[in-house]
Amino acid sequence: MMIMQYIYPFTAIVGQEKMKKALILNAINPKIGGVLIRGEKGTAKSTAVRALADLLPEIEIVEGCPFNCDPNGNLCDICKEKKKRGELKTTKKKMKVVNLPIGATEDRVIGTLDIEKAIKEGIKALEPGILAEANRNILYIDEVNLLDDHIIDVLLDAAAMGWNIIEREGVKIKHPSRFILVGTMNPEEGELRPQILDRFGLMVDVEGLNDVKDRVEVIKRVEEFNENPEAFYKKFEEEQNKLRERIIKARELLNKVEISDDLLEFISKVCIELGIQTNRADITVVRTAKALAAYNGRTYVTIDDVKEAMELALPHRMRRKPFEPPQLNKEKLEQMINEFKQQNNKDNEEKEEHKDDDVKKNMMK
Ligand SMILES: Nc1ncnc2c1ncn2[C@@H]1O[C@H](COP(=O)(O)OP(=O)(O)OP(=O)(O)O)[C@@H](O)[C@H]1O
């Protein structure tokens, strides 16, 4: 008999709204580029990530594929061959969290091929790496600031290209490599290089809860969950289903979401004004703002979406002195948002006046 393992529900996490939102937005569009969560131990970081994987709908995969290929998306070399032979079968699988151990080697990350075995036994010689397991799942790197720089580069390159190549002596296997990247770090143990910071889509700072009521609620919920996980899960089931549906709808809506040229210009202006060099900033703000619009059931981006997206996508891309924590110039941002809103109101009023004039003219005709 299979024993059902219950995961602490995402919707039962008390507070930590920014972290939850950043994770949800990446679930809506993984191309946002992941989340770096900075903060103290024991603040629900790993609980939230495990809960997200459990909350998200199952993924459709090619049966038996070590890379979880999407039958309707990009295929690995093995699945391509299967498709040609008409042997592609599909199945469904729950998403999972793949942990990257701190001491992981390049071979362990990328995967390996035993050439001698490959010649004798074909594909059995393949040893898929962490990138294979992570494809279409969540890749979780605890204490990313302690990870070897070279391993981070390998990972982030694969994530940016969306492909990983396992290669030995001229024999190659290429497979899709898309995942929601979540890194955590305790800033007291050292900062990340700016180049690496820039490769994380979003960043959030999590702090321990400072409200007594919230902390008591955490104790009660965690104890209740431990005593009877099934009953606790049932209690949150409706809320979990609602959130899952909302994410599914947002994914469907995402391609239809539009952003005005005025807002695009505004985003670039803010980035320049804040001294942010990397174009990844502007691109990530747009993707995040679109995901926010879709999450709110809209097909257009508003200035408030842009503001919220900037608070998640810009702080770690601000220029700063060594050892200073990443921070957003909130006052400057607030001022520019207000100016944009005022200008927009003025433009709208003028448009309304023109409309009135046109109506009057038409009536006099
Ligand atoms: N806001 C919260 N809501 C619900 N449970 C919480 C909250 N904050 C902490 N917890 C509980 O506290 C415990 C520790 O949380 P968790 O393991 O997720 O911490 P973490 O941030 O990943 O830290 P670490 O890196 O030490 O693992 C868990 O039992 C978790 O359920």
Side-chain angles (χ1 to χ4, degrees):
M1 195 180 77
M2 215 174 86
I3 298 171
M4 175 93 175
Q5 227 209 339
Y6 287 93
I7 304 279
Y8 190 88
F10 192 85
T11 49
I13 294 168
V14 180
Q16 308 298 12
E17 299 304 332
K18 224 171 159 181
M19 170 173 68
K20 286 191 277 190
K21 189 65 98 46
L23 289 170
I24 290 171
L25 294 173
N26 271 281
I28 295 171
N29 184 10
K31 287 189 182 155
I32 286 173
V35 197
L36 173 65
I37 309 174
R38 290 163 46 98
E40 300 285 322
K41 299 213 149 293
T43 45
K45 299 187 293 293
S46 53
T47 302
V49 174
R50 273 195 305 271
L52 180 74
D54 184 56
L55 173 83
L56 293 178
E58 289 187 325
I59 48 170
E60 198 179 10
I61 61 159
V62 174
E63 200 178 78
C65 174
F67 311 112
N68 309 315
C69 274
D70 177 358
N72 305 308
N74 288 328
L75 295 176
C76 70
D77 291 341
I78 306 168
C79 289
K80 268 190 207 156
E81 287 303 314
K82 273 193 189 169
K83 195 175 180 180
K84 269 191 218 157
R85 297 196 300 268
E87 291 170 4
L88 213 72
K89 283 193 202 139
T90 65
T91 182
K92 285 198 168 177
K93 202 174 171 181
K94 250 196 118 39
M95 281 183 75
K96 66 174 186 175
V97 180
V98 177
N99 284 293
L100 182 80
I102 289 292
T105 60
E106 187 172 343
D107 274 356
R108 179 74 195 95
V109 172
I110 293 178
T112 55
L113 272 170
D114 182 335
I115 294 299
E116 248 176 64
K117 222 173 158 195
I119 293 165
K120 279 193 229 137
E121 300 174 43
I123 216 59
K124 275 186 216 152
L126 170 73
E127 211 167 294
I130 286 168
L131 285 173
E133 232 186 309
N135 188 34
R136 303 179 63 217
N137 282 316
I138 300 176
L139 182 61
Y140 186 72
I141 316 176
D142 200 14
E143 307 204 75
V144 59
N145 46 338
L146 304 183
L147 201 67
D148 183 71
D149 277 1
H150 176 63
I151 296 292
I152 300 193
D153 285 339
V154 167
L155 270 174
L156 294 176
D157 282 346
M161 287 192 303
W163 290 98
N164 176 46
I165 299 171
I166 308 172
E167 191 172 8
R168 276 290 177 286
E169 296 166 39
V171 181
K172 278 188 203 172
I173 293 182
K174 193 172 160 194
H175 70 85
S177 176
R178 289 221 177 276
F179 44 84
I180 299 175
L181 178 68
V182 183
T184 71
M185 61 175 277
N186 183 348
E188 283 167 12
E189 284 160 6
E191 289 292 346
L192 276 175
R193 282 188 291 139
Q195 295 93 311
I196 305 266
L197 277 176
D198 181 32
R199 305 282 290 268
F200 276 95
L202 311 179
M203 191 203 84
V204 288
D205 271 308
V206 287
E207 282 168 19
L209 299 167
N210 282 323
D211 187 280
V212 174
K213 256 204 255 150
D214 286 346
R215 289 187 84 109
V216 170
E217 191 58 31
V218 170
I219 309 171
K220 282 186 179 165
R221 287 189 185 183
V222 172
E223 288 300 89
E224 202 182 323
F225 176 70
N226 281 336
E227 270 158 36
N228 190 343
E230 191 178 351
F232 188 78
Y233 203 86
K234 281 262 165 331
K235 218 165 128 178
F236 283 87
E237 200 167 22
E238 199 183 324
E239 239 182 292
Q240 290 278 102
N241 289 343
K242 259 197 217 155
L243 182 56
R244 184 181 308 109
E245 278 308 310
R246 193 172 167 187
I247 293 172
I248 294 171
K249 285 217 176 91
R251 283 176 173 172
E252 286 163 7
L253 206 61
L254 189 66
N255 277 338
K256 298 191 188 90
V257 178
E258 290 184 356
I259 181 164
S260 70
D261 284 349
D262 281 354
L263 280 176
L264 288 180
E265 250 176 55
F266 175 73
I267 292 166
S268 295
K269 233 160 106 181
V270 170
C271 289
I272 294 169
E273 191 72 25
L274 295 179
I276 297 173
Q277 301 288 315
T278 169
N279 286 91
R280 283 205 187 95
D282 320 35
I283 295 163
T284 312
V285 169
V286 170
R287 286 181 185 166
T288 309
K290 282 184 170 177
L292 274 164
Y295 187 54
N296 289 312
R298 275 184 275 106
T299 52
Y300 59 90
V301 171
T302 66
I303 183 74
D304 291 327
D305 296 330
V306 170
K307 182 174 182 242
E308 196 174 343
M310 283 178 166
E311 284 166 0
L312 292 165
L314 297 188
H316 56 304
R317 296 185 164 103
M318 298 281 294
R319 247 203 257 163
R320 65 199 157 95
K321 298 193 185 86
F323 309 113
E324 263 186 11
Q327 249 172 3
L328 185 64
N329 186 340
K330 279 203 172 152
E331 276 160 37
K332 182 87 213 157
L333 179 61
E334 202 69 46
Q335 184 197 335
M336 291 185 80
I337 298 260
N338 286 338
E339 279 168 17
F340 180 89
K341 281 185 175 169
Q342 274 166 12
Q343 185 58 41
N344 227 32
N345 284 345
K346 227 165 86 191
D347 289 351
N348 284 343
E349 274 167 25
E350 275 171 19
K351 267 189 215 152
E352 286 300 315
E353 270 172 31
H354 281 302
K355 252 200 232 160
D356 285 350
D357 287 349
D358 288 346
V359 172
K360 273 183 209 153
K361 266 188 224 158
N362 285 337
M363 281 170 75
M364 279 159 66
K365 265 187 202 166

